Amino acid sequence: MTEPKIEIEEEINESPRTNGFDPSIYDKIVEGCRLSVRMASQNEWRQAEIISRCRAPNGSMKFYVHYVDCNRRLDEWVQADMLDITTLRMPQKGGKKGAHLKEESRDSNETDAKRGGRKRKIPLVPMDDVKQEPSDIAPPIPTVSNGSTPSLRGSMSMVGHSEDAMTRIRNVECIELGRSRIQPWYFSPYPQQLTSLDCIYICEFCLKYLKSKTTLKRHMEKCALCHPPGNQIYSYDKLSFFEIDGRKNKSYAQNLCLLAKLFLDHKTLYYDTDPFLFYVLTEEDEKGHHIVGYFSKEKESADEYNVACILVLPPFQKKGYGSLLIEFSYELSKIEQKTGSPEKPLSDLGLLSYRSYWSMAIMKALFKFKRNRPTEDITVQDISQSTSIKREDVVSTLQQLDLYKYYKGQYVIVISDEKRQVYEKRIEAAKKKTRINPNALQWRPKEYGKKRAQITF
């Protein structure tokens, strides 16, 4: 007899707090309002912002909400009874002036960072020798890059975020790509006649989008591709990279951008793919090469970016492919004899992946340097050249690892025995994971700028 009572009590506690309100009150809930909403996936109440609303065929109201301080991939449609009307706050008048001021100050810091980088020797000092002295007041480090720790806000707080309400609403319910059915995270401008369907079917080789399973089967019988178009520049252990020129393979590149936009919120979709190269990672089996992820880069980047967009498709995430894509981008930079950096701002997941890669690459470079030249001091420039990681990224990573200290009038890299042992174990464990084999990379950089100059002349 006691068990049913417990169930009834739980049911009462979990009942929507909107019960008892006049249904007409939901008409007052407009775009920009904030209130508590029950998050379906977490089964908990969270503060949320109303992005849009509509009336369902049965006459009930539905609301598209963004959960405050959460990534936009968690945005969803909720029924009216999931809202807590007692916490309703109407939108405030006025613009978001603070955001612009914050970005201006960030940009000025980055400008100062570029001015103030001088090459200096940085000794590796034992941890015991470094003591906090009152006279040692560390001046601000000029090369600090903004935002060392990703917040839950992710793409919502980033530069270039679209304020158009339509593009903030996820418009595709589901896609079928190969053997996977995937629920998208964000808006992507697929044709409107397709976004109204329950599922969009995509050919995994040419990435053409189709409206039904039958249409996809007919297309697959005629599709001549069994791998991405372009040049296969890497093949090792059933993994391959294909280089696709956005000008020569425009249709494939545009389809790839549409697909990627479903899972990338912080990038603007460009239909002009001519200035970009796309590097697609695939897994090979008896049926062909199946897309796993990709990154793109500009043919000519004034800011020395070696990655514009980077994505691992959801079915292949948490398998080490993100690190593989990042490592491959730096292998290309090494062949070009340049330092590179991903285009900013990074998403929350992107920043975590890059921090992990940078940490391992920098620690490997430090250990290798001290083994080969134990009596010499190392510079940030030395680390940058050996890893092809841009100087600003090296410094920010050392700071994030708490290895960059101000000592006796200069900055030094301080590695405790405990941290050294931890990273030595991580480096040893990383050897068992899938890595890029530089010997399997067959690629030469193309100098697009010189070609254009010759044609102009």
Side-chain angles (χ1 to χ4, degrees), residues 383-400:
I383 300 173
S384 179
Q385 288 178 350
S386 64
T387 59
S388 284
I389 299 173
K390 207 169 182 179
R391 187 180 187 277
E392 290 82 354
D393 296 330
V394 173
V395 173
S396 67
T397 303
L398 289 171
Q399 285 182 277
Q400 194 258 343

Side-chain angles (χ1 to χ4, degrees), residues 258-276:
L258 280 171
L259 173 63
K261 187 64 184 71
L262 293 170
F263 308 101
L264 293 173
D265 178 45
H266 60 289
K267 297 295 183 185
T268 305
L269 181 67
Y270 292 102
Y271 286 100
D272 180 16
T273 59
D274 290 10
F276 293 92

